[in-house]
Amino acid sequence: MLETFVIPILGSLLAGGLIGFEREYKSRPAGLRTHTLVALASTLLMLAAARQGDWDITFFDTQDIVTDPTRMAHGILTGIGFLCAGVIFRHGFSIQGLTTATTLWMTSALGMLFGVGLWGLASVGTAVTLVVLVLFRLFYRYLPRRNDIDVIVRLRGDGATSGQEIEALLRGLGLRAEAVRQRLLGDADVLEVAFKVVSPRGLHLETMVDALRGVDDVRGFELAPREE
């Protein structure tokens, strides 16, 4: 009883809890409870699938029972795909939630490993997942990389400032700016221009804010650094 059910269930709860805690700490859409339940559900289903001979089902006397736990694994991974899709969303030009979706998929895989008795592999997989989530984030801070920012500027529709002038202003700050969308709002009262901007690592958003606030025709703007 202990090795058959208790250890796999406790292992999946611990694995899902640790991964979920990291996501909860980062305030992601799926956190501690979601990851823990995903791991637990995967473990329980695989425990049941591996013991189909114990199912309380009446079969014909001449009918053979063929156990195939891999079919349950396929069903779990298919179902978890729908759950993962729910945490991926688009904000501006950015796609967010990919890492959280991946951790849900990974948590489900770890739960299945605990369910089929591969405790060592599941434990190593849990540790490596935490290393990727925690230590890689620390390394990421010091890697040479560019900062991608989604910039939306709203100008007076009848003003003298055009989208090209705002683009030139951003380039004057040392940014790589490209206008990707323009549209008129409120019966042509407001011209909204969206830019994809690449900035040096050391540039602060306050520099861009001060520059845009200095333009008379600017009615409002949004700066959204892209994340995962």
Side-chain angles (χ1 to χ4, degrees):
M1 180 69 176
L2 178 64
E3 294 185 356
T4 303
F5 299 114
V6 177
I7 293 179
I9 290 175
L10 290 179
S12 66
L13 289 175
L14 180 61
L18 290 174
I19 297 173
F21 177 79
E22 192 278 338
R23 293 287 85 190
E24 190 82 36
Y25 177 76
K26 299 301 296 182
S27 300
R28 299 311 182 198
L32 179 62
R33 291 181 298 177
T34 302
H35 284 80
T36 303
L37 288 175
V38 165
L40 177 61
S42 300
T43 298
L44 293 176
L45 289 173
M46 290 307 298
L47 285 171
R51 293 161 179 81
Q52 293 181 27
D54 298 335
W55 291 7
D56 188 14
I57 301 177
T58 302
F59 296 93
F60 296 108
D61 294 336
T62 58
Q63 187 174 7
D64 295 329
I65 301 175
V66 179
T67 61
D68 185 10
T70 59
R71 298 181 64 182
M72 179 67 77
H74 293 162
I76 293 173
L77 292 178
T78 300
I80 203 66
F82 289 96
L83 182 61
C84 293
V87 300
I88 300 175
F89 59 95
R90 181 172 180 175
H91 179 72
F93 306 112
S94 304
I95 304 298
Q96 299 184 358
L98 291 175
T99 300
T100 300
T102 304
T103 57
L104 285 172
W105 184 83
M106 187 67 185
T107 301
S108 178
L110 294 172
M112 288 189 290
L113 291 176
F114 279 111
V116 297
L118 298 177
W119 308 330
L121 181 59
S123 299
V124 172
T126 301
V128 173
T129 301
L130 292 173
V131 167
V132 172
L133 289 174
V134 179
L135 293 185
F136 278 28
R137 183 178 297 277
L138 298 177
F139 295 151
Y140 185 72
R141 295 179 182 178
Y142 301 100
L143 289 176
R145 60 184 177 91
R146 69 183 193 180
N147 293 329
D148 293 339
I149 305 173
D150 298 330
V151 179
I152 298 177
V153 181
R154 298 180 182 88
L155 303 169
R156 289 177 51 192
D158 57 352
T161 305
S162 64
Q164 289 80 2
E165 291 176 299
I166 297 298
E167 182 175 340
L169 173 66
L170 295 174
R171 291 180 182 273
L173 298 175
L175 307 173
R176 289 169 48 194
E178 176 185 2
V180 294
R181 187 185 71 232
Q182 296 191 32
R183 61 175 180 172
L184 292 174
L185 304 176
D187 296 330
D189 290 339
V190 177
L191 172 64
E192 181 180 271
V193 187
F195 299 89
K196 287 184 178 180
V197 175
V198 179
S199 71
R201 185 183 181 89
L203 182 69
H204 297 289
L205 290 181
E206 288 77 6
T207 303
M208 300 176 60
V209 170
D210 293 339
L212 292 172
R213 291 181 64 181
V215 180
D216 293 335
D217 290 331
V218 171
R219 302 283 296 273
F221 55 85
E222 298 177 16
L223 309 179
R226 298 189 189 183
E227 299 181 355
E228 57 172 274

